[in-house]
Structure formats: structure tokens, C-alpha cells
């Protein structure tokens, strides 16, 4: 959807001005839903923003403050994900992070200058096309532009057998005494937080006692493994070590963001599905202002 012309990998269907305008529109609708207007969306699923509400340009005028109908369609594709034959291949991306540094531009849209030597306009472009060329078709000349998604499940069955890590049955892991923490940034543009939530909820369906061995922490405003406006500095290793070695299961965890060696923002995160709520009166930069 973003690069329909394989001969033109320098002009994505969505421009940088589109990304800026889109993020502004999303934050205008979603930012204050959690009771705090701070550029961070606590849970994007709480927002009913629709790309259909974006300003559409007059025919033939891409403009700086509007979107073509085609661009709106491409944005919908990113948010909606991919379904084939009524079955989800992969969920779309949550609202948020559309114009962050190391956000959509690097991973989803492009062109990302650092990837030019590799011939990829974006990281997802590289991972996706190389995967199909060398692990699915074994054909370095494979062309994505003519791919028929109707055959997706059959085409990928063999590669999925050794690449997919989607089985929610953790019986052997649980019986061995293992503990596992899942964490995911809500604004992660590499891997959708919605996929991790789906996997975790499927674990809960199989294991009523899942809370005894696994927990999920979703980090608002955080990109891929860190970055973004939200705090993400946590000593996860000490937390899980304490759980395994001392039997102290984690609950409320404090995340920090540092600048020049000083903590400038701290927020609590709770095991999914609980989330932090601003008390409405305290310093929003302090974790003590959230319950």
C-alpha cells in the first residue's frame, strides 16, 4: 500500500507532512482521554479516532494540510492490519507515534536514509520482502507488487512451521517453574502491541492460573524497546530475578525517563489489563500522582 510502484522507492504514498498532520490529529482526539494532555496516550484502544475524519484535499492537490483519498486508504491499512480469508494475518498498529523520531518513518513509511545502502526504504519493507524472497519462495527475484494474498496461508505454511512463536500453551514452561514477563511499548512501530495483547489473552484462555507465572506490562508513549515520549527505563532483570528466586511476584512497577542522568518523568505501570490513572491534581511528571 505504501510503495505500490516497485520502481519508485523514494516517494511513499504517505509524505512526511502527512505523518506530522496525522499525529497532530490523533493527539487532538486521543491525548486528553486519560485525563492528562501530555502527548502520551495511556491506552489507544480507548480512542475512537477515525482516518475518515481527516481533511481530504481537493482532487489533484496533495497539499500540506490535507490528505488525498488514497493516502487516507493507506493510513487505514496501517491501522487495520492484514486479514486473508476472514482470518487475521497480523493486527494493525495502535494509534500513536505516527511522527516520532524512530517511529513510523523509520519502520513503516520511509524513506529512511540509513537504509539506502541496503536498498530498503523502511525496516518493515526490508524484513517483509527479504522474508518472502529467501524463506518462503527461495527466489531473490520475487516481486511483492503482484502477490496474490489469497494463497498466503498455503504459501507460508512451511516457513511458519519453524518461524512462528504463537503457541499460547505454556504448560511445559509453567510446570518447569518458569516465570515470564511480557512488555510492549504502545507506540512500537516494529511490532504491534495488539499482537502481544492477543497472544497474552490466548494464554489466559488456556491457563486460568496464568497470573502465577506470567504478566504483561504495556508502556504508554514508548516506541520499539524504548524511546518516545513515555518512560521506559526499568530494571526488568532484577524484577524477574526477584520473582523467580524469592517468590515475590511483581505488581506495580515504576518506569522512568532520564535526561543528563536525572529522572525527568516517572510513571507506574500495572499488569495487564490494569492501567495507571492520573489523580487529577498531582505533578504529572511524578509516579506518585497516578493510581
Amino acid at each position: 500500500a505504501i510503495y505500490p510502484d516497485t520502481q519508485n522507492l523514494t516517494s511513499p504514498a504517505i509524505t512526511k507532512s502527512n505523518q506530522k498532520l496525522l499525529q497532530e490529529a490523533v493527539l487532538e482526539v486521543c491525548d486528553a482521554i486519560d485525563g492528562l494532555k501530555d502527548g502520551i496516550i495511556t491506552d489507544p484502544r480507548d480512542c475512537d479516532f477515525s482516518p475518515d475524519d481527516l481533511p481530504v484535499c481537493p482532487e489533484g492537490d496533495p497539499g500540506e494540510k490535507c490528505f488525498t483519498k488514497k493516502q487516507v486508504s493507506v493510513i487505514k491499512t496501517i491501522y487495520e492490519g492484514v486479514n486473508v480469508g476472514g482470518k487475521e494475518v497480523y493486527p494493525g498498529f495502535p494509534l500513536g507515534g505516527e511522527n516520532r523520531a524512530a517511529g513510523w518513518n523509520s519502520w513503516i513509511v520511509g524513506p529512511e536514509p540509513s537504509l539506502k545502502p541496503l536498498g530498503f526504504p523502511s525496516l518493515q519493507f526490508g524484513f517483509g520482502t527479504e522474508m518472502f524472497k529467501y524463506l518462503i519462495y527461495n527466489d531473490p527475484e520475487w516481486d511483492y507488487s503482484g502477490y496474490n494474498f489469497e494463497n498466503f496461508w498455503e504459501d507460508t505454511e512451511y516457513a511458519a512451521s519453524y518461524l512462528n512463536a504463537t503457541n499460547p500453551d505454556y504448560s511445559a514452561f509453567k510446570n518447569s517453574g518458569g516465570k515470564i514477563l511480557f512488555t510492549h511499548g504502545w507506540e512500537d512501530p516494529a511490532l504491534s502491541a495488539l499482537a502481544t495483547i492477543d497472544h497474552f489473552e490466548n494464554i489466559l484462555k488456556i491457563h486460568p492460573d496464568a497470573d502465577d507465572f506470567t504478566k504483561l506490562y504495556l508502556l504508554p508513549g514508548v516506541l520499539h524497546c524504548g524511546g518516545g515520549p513515555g518512560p521506559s527505563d526499568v530494571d526488568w532483570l532484577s524484577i524477574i530475578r526477584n520473582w523467580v528466586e524469592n517468590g515475590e511476584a511483581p505488581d506495580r512497577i515504576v518506569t522512568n525517563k532520564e535526561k543528563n542522568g536525572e529522572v525527568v518523568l516517572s510513571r507506574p505501570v500495572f499488569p495487564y489489563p490494569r492501567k495507571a490513572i492520573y489523580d487529577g491534581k498531582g505533578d504529572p511528571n511524578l509516579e506518585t500522582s497516578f493510581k
Side-chain angles (χ1 to χ4, degrees):
I2 299 172
Y3 288 93
D5 181 2
T6 58
Q7 302 305 308
N8 181 8
L9 301 183
T10 59
S11 301
I14 306 174
T15 66
K16 284 183 171 57
S17 62
N18 286 155
Q19 290 171 242
K20 180 177 182 295
L21 189 60
L22 176 60
Q23 180 170 283
E24 290 172 351
V26 168
L27 289 176
E28 180 66 28
V29 176
C30 306
D31 190 4
I33 287 179
D34 55 14
L36 189 61
K37 196 160 187 177
D38 58 353
I40 297 174
I41 305 171
T42 297
D43 188 338
R45 297 172 303 175
D46 293 337
C47 182
D48 60 0
F49 172 85
S50 171
D52 287 326
D53 296 331
L54 293 169
V56 176
C57 300
E59 198 67 36
D61 174 21
E64 292 291 319
K65 296 294 182 182
C66 56
F67 301 80
T68 65
K69 291 181 180 179
K70 175 64 177 176
Q71 288 168 338
V72 171
S73 175
V74 172
I75 290 168
K76 284 183 178 179
T77 299
I78 297 173
Y79 287 139
E80 292 173 358
V82 180
N83 288 267
V84 174
K87 182 180 177 182
E88 184 178 73
V89 175
Y90 198 74
F93 286 83
L95 298 165
E98 293 82 1
N99 194 44
R100 308 287 191 205
W104 273 32
N105 195 71
S106 299
W107 281 95
I108 300 174
V109 181
E112 168 59 46
S114 65
L115 297 176
K116 189 174 182 180
L118 298 175
F120 307 140
S122 72
L123 286 162
Q124 284 197 16
F125 184 104
F127 281 119
T129 55
E130 298 294 278
M131 175 77 72
F132 267 74
K133 285 180 180 179
Y134 299 106
L135 295 179
I136 294 176
Y137 287 114
N138 195 26
D139 177 11
E141 302 303 319
W142 178 80
D143 181 0
Y144 69 85
S145 65
Y147 180 64
N148 182 356
F149 272 91
E150 291 180 3
N151 301 317
F152 175 84
W153 299 111
E154 293 79 8
D155 293 345
T156 60
E157 185 175 12
Y158 175 64
S161 70
Y162 63 88
L163 289 173
N164 283 7
T166 55
N167 185 355
D169 186 349
Y170 280 67
S171 298
F173 180 80
K174 180 187 74 170
N175 294 339
S176 73
K179 310 291 185 186
I180 185 168
L181 295 178
F182 291 94
T183 74
H184 207 132
W186 266 119
E187 293 191 7
D188 187 338
L191 305 166
S192 175
L194 299 176
T196 296
I197 292 172
D198 286 346
H199 182 68
F200 193 80
E201 289 185 337
N202 284 329
I203 294 174
L204 299 180
K205 292 176 183 177
I206 294 176
H207 302 284
D209 59 346
D211 193 58
D212 294 339
F213 67 89
T214 182
K215 298 178 189 294
L216 166 62
Y217 291 90
L218 297 166
L219 310 182
V222 175
L223 298 173
H224 186 55
C225 302
S232 59
D233 295 337
V234 180
D235 187 354
W236 294 109
L237 185 58
S238 292
I239 291 170
I240 197 167
R241 179 177 178 178
N242 193 40
W243 192 9
V244 172
E245 297 183 2
N246 302 319
E248 296 181 11
D251 188 67
R252 185 183 192 274
I253 289 175
V254 175
T255 61
N256 295 316
K257 177 181 282 293
E258 294 187 5
K259 186 176 182 180
N260 300 324
E262 293 187 6
V263 175
V264 294
L265 178 64
S266 62
R267 296 278 172 89
V269 289
F270 296 88
Y272 178 86
R274 291 187 290 148
K275 48 196 170 188
I277 300 174
Y278 178 53
D279 66 11
K281 57 182 183 292
D283 183 344
N285 291 322
L286 299 178
E287 51 90 8
T288 50
S289 301
F290 295 79
K291 58 185 179 180

